[in-house]
Amino acid sequence: MGKKKSKQQRGIANGEEKINQEEILKTLGDFTDKDNWDKFFTLRGSDDNFEWYAEWPQLRSLLTDNLSFPEKHPEGVTILVPGCGNSKLSEQLYDAGFQSITNIDFSKVVIMDMLRRNVRERPAMKWRVMDMTELQFDGESFNAVVDKGGLDALMEPKLGSGLGILYLSEVKRVLEIGGKFICLTLAESHVLDLLFHEFRFGWKMSLHAISQGPPYGTTPELQTFVVVAEKDSSPTLVSDLSLFLGGYSIERHGNQARKLYEMLEKERHTRTKYSNNSDMSYTIEDLRLGAKGNISMLQPGRRIKLVLGEPGVSNFFYNCMLLDAKPDSGQFVYHYGVFIVPQLRAHDWLYTSEEGQWLIVVSAKAARLCMVFLDSSNSVFPMQSIQSDLSPLVKQLAPNYGDNDNDLQIPFMAAGDGIKKRDIVYQVESDLTGLIIVDDVIYEAINKDDPYKGHKYRRLTFERSENLVQSEALLSSKFDSHSSRTPALSSEAEVIHNHLASPYHNGIISGILLISSHLSTATSFGGLVKTAVLGLGAGLLPMFMKKNLPTLQIEVIELDPVVLDVARDFFGFKVDERLKVHVTDGIKFIKEIADSKVEGEEKSLRKIDILIVDVDSSDTSSGLTCPEADFVEEYFLLAAKESLSEQGLFIINLVSRSSTMKDAVYSRLKKARTRVFSNIFCLKIEEDVNEVLFALKTDFAIEEQQLSEARNAVARYSEEAKEWGEKVADQSKSIELLS
């Protein structure tokens, strides 16, 4: 039957000659071009079949096992073979008992050839001309989709992953629950990456290395894999990868195997993260893939934390909360709305708590609400620019609106900046810092239980980063919220130094109480703990420490004398025998102490017991808002460690949205463990943005049990400090060892 095979054809069929992939690629050209395939199949003819990757003997057991479904006879298993070409695979499956097979290919030439070849011997087999990226079948029509190289052909690197995504979305649509996508592939990194992404949520996935017979067995670069993805009844399921790789090893397959194992390890880590962290932030891509169910449909009571932002699409990234209204939310005015929360209100109970967020949903009268929380990276821009940047992102989260999807108008709503009244108290231009602003504000009452509702606050800001409040102090003057008259804010009022309005200040205090062994030692022996604070701001932190931690001897190092004048004149900052100020360069100050040689007791007293770095950055292009980049360079960190006493504590207020930058800081702190710091602790203040790092000079390992005991001690200590103890004790519970 058919034409006599040439020597080369016999080599392909019988394993007598090695396949040269490069020659095949040159013959065919563009794998995604229909005319090329028509020409390819016309030249080869129907009997000149060509097998990609592997032959039937290597595939038989794996395919027949995966095509066996409970309570279904083989002839009743519905199978789709996309991009069938002139491969014998469908015929071999048919002869093995699987007769309900539909073959498709966009080449009319090959479909007509294959139909003629099989119409008599395999009459139940179906053949259709069809584009595999636009399947003309109803949803859940098949038990299995068997792909032999089709996805690889669509995934030409120069064309990107667009066609592959379209194809796999169609595969997922036409498979029924429990159905399987069986994909033969060379598992190149860009193909495997797409498969992992597309079948991460709601699918059970396994990877099999195919045992290669001649001629494949002598060419490791032609190693073929089979990916099996089974559709689960739970669309949000994240299952472990099952691997059946046999003798596939780095030793034999070299760099290809190394890359594959690296990708597998990365994907396993990703799946573990999704499985274990119910409070993690998702991306639009995660939601498209089904991480939280069908996002195009409303699901009452669903609440999803996510990050919006796409390089090339948006200028910024945004922290968001997506909420589908609960059943008892009343009548809706909007099908979908966006609610923008400005940076100054991002920590209000109404917006941070789940209870408060559901109240916003009710008041917005939206069936779905996307709450967007602005931060220091995006809040400096006009609201109109923010809305323009957000629009293409939030549209992707809109629920189906029936036949009127194109007419759906998405309203943008926004909370106020939270300030009821504001007066500029003082402005001064500094050669070092630029314009310095002192203002008094009264915040709008948001939480009725707020003990400081109606109080005035005094703030210090720098024009160079005007949306970052450098310091904020509670003032003693309070007005009657029921009075019709609002008082002048600039009237005489004292700063309350027993109250810390900034969460990170409370965090620093909690870390000092939790970690520093000097406090108990000083209390026992009547000594003083030498504490250095780099960066004065309004002087609120050192004033608080002087008042509430009587064993501290505090020295503040501030570069700008104008900042010192402002702290004295407007924030009640005062020096005395326990609190001194040095107007000098902080790095130079620390290096002088680090370089001093210990020659007896007098010199040893120059060492610092607690060193706090609280310096804002004048150049945020580095990715750091705090501290200045020089303060996290290795040379300074080494000097900081050397300046500390043997049990010294080093503290940095770290503000950055860049995970790369934060990882770099962590790495520098831990680099060459015997040279820098071994014991590092972290307290996250503002998610993904602000955290306080604590590092101990001692290399003696700190265990979790010791931390637990220290937390109990902080709680007991804080009971005596009713004004501030509860906040500090609560934050100490969140301090963790940095792995």
Side-chain angles (χ1 to χ4, degrees):
M1 293 286 292
K3 296 183 292 184
K4 184 177 180 181
K5 295 182 179 179
S6 68
K7 179 179 179 182
Q8 182 183 15
Q9 292 167 332
R10 290 197 304 272
I12 291 174
N14 302 323
E16 295 174 357
E17 289 192 4
K18 181 172 68 174
I19 293 176
N20 187 320
Q21 272 194 313
E22 291 185 2
E23 289 183 8
I24 295 171
L25 293 174
K26 290 177 183 177
T27 301
L28 183 57
D30 184 355
F31 281 113
T32 65
D33 188 285
K34 185 179 79 68
D35 292 337
N36 279 352
W37 281 107
D38 283 343
K39 185 184 300 183
F40 178 84
F41 290 124
T42 299
L43 290 173
R44 287 182 173 271
S46 62
D47 291 328
D48 188 6
N49 65 285
F50 182 77
E51 297 299 335
W52 295 95
Y53 305 159
E55 299 281 355
W56 179 246
Q58 286 81 46
L59 299 173
R60 183 202 311 266
S61 177
L62 179 60
L63 291 181
T64 55
D65 286 349
N66 276 284
L67 290 173
S68 298
F69 291 85
E71 302 179 1
K72 268 188 178 291
H73 294 293
E75 62 270 18
V77 176
T78 54
I79 300 172
L80 174 66
V81 181
C84 60
N86 64 358
S87 168
K88 286 187 175 182
L89 180 62
S90 296
E91 299 166 343
Q92 291 157 340
L93 286 172
Y94 190 99
D95 295 345
F98 300 96
Q99 299 185 2
S100 185
I101 300 176
T102 300
N103 302 275
I104 68 165
D105 200 293
F106 67 176
S107 170
K108 185 177 180 179
V109 172
V110 78
I111 288 295
M112 296 305 296
D113 282 347
M114 295 300 285
L115 177 60
R116 283 192 292 268
R117 193 167 91 183
N118 288 281
V119 66
R120 292 184 180 178
E121 294 184 19
R122 302 174 183 88
M125 189 118 73
K126 299 175 183 177
W127 304 88
R128 294 184 62 177
V129 178
M130 191 181 301
D131 187 336
M132 62 201 294
T133 66
E134 298 180 33
L135 299 180
Q136 299 165 28
F137 302 108
D138 293 336
E140 301 188 2
S141 301
F142 294 94
N143 299 124
V145 175
V146 179
D147 177 330
K148 191 178 183 185
L151 178 62
D152 285 7
L154 291 177
M155 291 287 288
E156 284 201 55
K158 66 180 181 181
L159 298 178
S161 59
L163 290 175
I165 291 172
L166 286 175
Y167 167 51
L168 293 183
S169 66
E170 286 289 82
V171 167
K172 292 189 286 187
R173 182 181 65 82
V174 301
L175 278 173
E176 65 177 21
I177 300 298
K180 295 178 182 177
F181 176 52
I182 303 173
C183 179
L184 279 77
T185 173
L186 293 179
E188 293 178 279
S189 58
H190 64 293
V191 176
L192 202 57
D193 186 57
L194 180 65
L195 285 165
F196 285 157
H197 274 84
E198 293 294 320
F199 294 101
R200 184 173 290 148
F201 304 105
W203 297 79
K204 298 172 184 174
M205 196 170 184
S206 59
L207 179 67
H208 308 254
I210 300 302
S211 174
Q212 298 290 283
Y216 304 98
T218 58
T219 54
E221 68 272 14
L222 289 178
Q223 174 66 53
T224 302
F225 298 86
V226 174
V227 173
V228 180
E230 180 180 345
K231 192 173 186 177
D232 196 82
S233 58
S234 170
T236 60
L237 170 78
V238 180
S239 63
D240 291 335
L241 290 172
S242 298
L243 303 179
F244 305 91
L245 299 180
Y248 186 70
S249 65
I250 295 174
E251 289 75 16
R252 183 180 177 201
H253 295 82
N255 196 45
Q256 182 195 26
R258 183 178 294 105
K259 288 181 179 179
L260 176 69
Y261 281 110
E262 287 174 356
M263 290 191 69
L264 290 172
E265 182 60 31
K266 180 181 177 182
E267 180 62 15
R268 278 181 157 173
H269 176 75
T270 300
R271 288 174 179 248
T272 299
K273 180 179 68 173
Y274 280 113
S275 297
N276 296 341
N277 194 346
S278 59
D279 194 42
M280 70 175 298
S281 293
Y282 294 87
T283 64
I284 288 180
E285 181 67 8
D286 292 333
L287 300 185
R288 182 186 71 79
L289 295 172
K292 302 298 286 185
N294 186 353
I295 201 67
S296 67
M297 304 299 294
L298 289 169
Q299 182 179 313
R302 178 166 53 187
R303 178 174 174 267
I304 306 170
K305 185 189 296 184
L306 69 155
V307 176
L308 291 181
E310 297 179 39
V313 176
S314 64
N315 295 317
F316 306 107
F317 289 87
Y318 302 90
N319 287 319
C320 304
M321 191 70 72
L322 193 68
L323 302 109
D324 286 352
K326 292 181 177 181
D328 56 353
S329 297
Q331 295 295 316
F332 302 128
V333 175
Y334 306 111
H335 193 62
Y336 174 45
V338 178
F339 190 93
I340 298 177
V341 182
Q343 182 187 8
L344 290 176
R345 304 200 68 181
H347 295 291
D348 289 353
W349 172 88
L350 189 62
Y351 306 115
T352 57
S353 69
E354 183 173 351
E355 181 183 356
Q357 289 169 0
W358 287 120
L359 291 175
I360 295 295
V361 173
V362 172
S363 65
K365 298 186 182 302
R368 171 174 290 174
L369 189 68
C370 181
M371 295 183 68
V372 180
F373 299 88
L374 300 186
D375 55 46
S376 56
S377 70
N378 47 44
S379 61
V380 296
F381 292 88
M383 188 58 67
Q384 185 176 356
S385 299
I386 294 293
Q387 290 187 20
S388 297
D389 197 43
L390 274 170
S391 289
L393 302 175
V394 297
K395 282 181 180 179
Q396 300 177 64
L397 300 171
N400 285 345
Y401 195 49
D403 296 331
N404 302 314
D405 271 355
N406 294 331
D407 300 327
L408 178 62
Q409 299 296 315
I410 304 176
F412 279 80
M413 299 165 266
D417 60 8
I419 298 176
K420 186 173 184 178
K421 190 170 179 64
R422 176 177 184 253
D423 277 353
I424 302 293
V425 176
Y426 182 69
Q427 296 185 106
V428 62
E429 189 76 30
S430 164
D431 292 338
L432 293 175
T433 306
L435 184 64
I436 300 173
I437 305 164
V438 178
D439 61 7
D440 284 354
V441 300
I442 297 172
Y443 291 113
E444 293 177 349
I446 299 299
N447 186 352
K448 63 181 180 179
D449 298 323
D450 183 0
Y452 299 104
K453 178 179 64 176
H455 278 73
K456 293 187 295 183
Y457 289 84
R458 179 159 293 174
R459 309 185 309 173
L460 174 68
T461 57
F462 300 155
E463 187 182 48
R464 68 189 185 194
S465 51
E466 60 182 350
N467 282 277
L468 176 67
V469 178
Q470 301 289 332
S471 300
E472 185 173 53
L474 181 68
L475 299 180
S476 60
S477 176
K478 180 178 184 295
F479 77 98
D480 182 358
S481 60
H482 298 290
S483 171
S484 60
R485 184 179 67 87
T486 301
L489 291 175
S490 57
S491 59
E492 289 298 322
E494 290 186 358
V495 169
I496 301 175
H497 289 117
N498 203 40
H499 175 85
L500 291 177
S502 299
Y504 84 90
H505 278 166
N506 284 292
I508 289 174
I509 299 300
S510 68
I512 291 174
L513 294 177
L514 180 69
I515 300 169
S516 178
S517 62
H518 285 292
L519 295 184
S520 57
T521 303
T523 302
S524 301
F525 295 98
L528 290 177
V529 177
K530 184 173 181 179
T531 304
V533 181
L534 305 190
L536 174 65
L540 302 175
L541 178 62
M543 287 293 288
F544 178 90
M545 292 193 299
K546 183 185 75 168
K547 182 177 179 64
N548 295 285
L549 301 176
T551 59
L552 299 188
Q553 175 72 46
I554 305 164
E555 296 181 48
V556 181
I557 298 86
E558 172 57 50
L559 182 63
D560 192 343
V562 179
V563 172
L564 174 57
D565 291 340
V566 170
R568 283 172 173 161
D569 296 342
F570 296 94
F571 291 89
F573 179 75
K574 297 177 181 179
V575 298
D576 58 22
E577 67 280 358
R578 284 187 48 237
L579 176 55
K580 302 184 183 304
V581 177
H582 304 277
V583 179
T584 187
D585 183 290
I587 293 177
K588 180 180 178 182
F589 180 87
I590 295 302
K591 282 185 64 65
E592 287 178 354
I593 296 178
D595 294 340
S596 65
K597 295 182 179 180
V598 178
E599 298 176 352
E601 187 66 20
E602 185 177 351
K603 282 286 185 180
S604 68
L605 291 177
R606 293 194 62 188
K607 295 294 182 181
I608 299 168
D609 298 317
I610 300 174
L611 173 57
I612 302 171
V613 176
D614 186 16
V615 184
D616 83 309
S617 175
S618 58
D619 177 19
T620 56
S621 63
S622 65
L624 276 175
T625 303
C626 290
E628 188 80 39
D630 286 343
F631 288 90
V632 291
E633 292 293 343
E634 186 178 356
Y635 76 89
F636 174 76
L637 297 176
L638 290 169
K641 181 177 182 180
E642 189 60 32
S643 73
L644 292 172
S645 59
E646 288 308 309
Q647 299 297 318
L649 174 63
F650 178 53
I651 303 173
I652 293 183
N653 177 36
L654 178 64
V655 182
S656 175
R657 185 162 294 280
S658 168
S659 59
T660 301
M661 176 56 69
K662 286 191 284 190
D663 288 344
V665 174
Y666 302 155
S667 177
R668 290 170 193 168
L669 282 166
K670 294 185 289 186
K671 186 176 181 181
R673 284 184 173 272
T674 57
R675 296 183 63 208
V676 193
F677 296 99
S678 298
N679 292 299
I680 305 172
F681 306 82
C682 178
L683 172 63
K684 294 186 183 297
I685 304 296
E686 181 183 349
E687 185 178 358
D688 296 331
V689 179
N690 194 182
E691 51 195 70
V692 182
L693 301 180
F694 307 89
L696 282 171
K697 181 175 181 178
T698 178
D699 292 330
F700 190 78
I702 305 296
E703 303 296 337
E704 180 59 37
Q705 178 63 30
Q706 293 171 275
L707 270 182
S708 179
E709 293 171 357
R711 290 188 186 103
N712 293 332
V714 171
R716 290 192 297 272
Y717 182 92
S718 300
E719 287 177 358
E720 302 175 9
K722 295 181 180 178
E723 292 290 327
W724 52 271
E726 185 176 351
K727 285 184 180 179
V728 168
D730 285 344
Q731 286 202 313
S732 72
K733 299 174 185 176
S734 300
I735 296 176
E736 298 178 347
L737 273 167
L738 191 66
S739 57

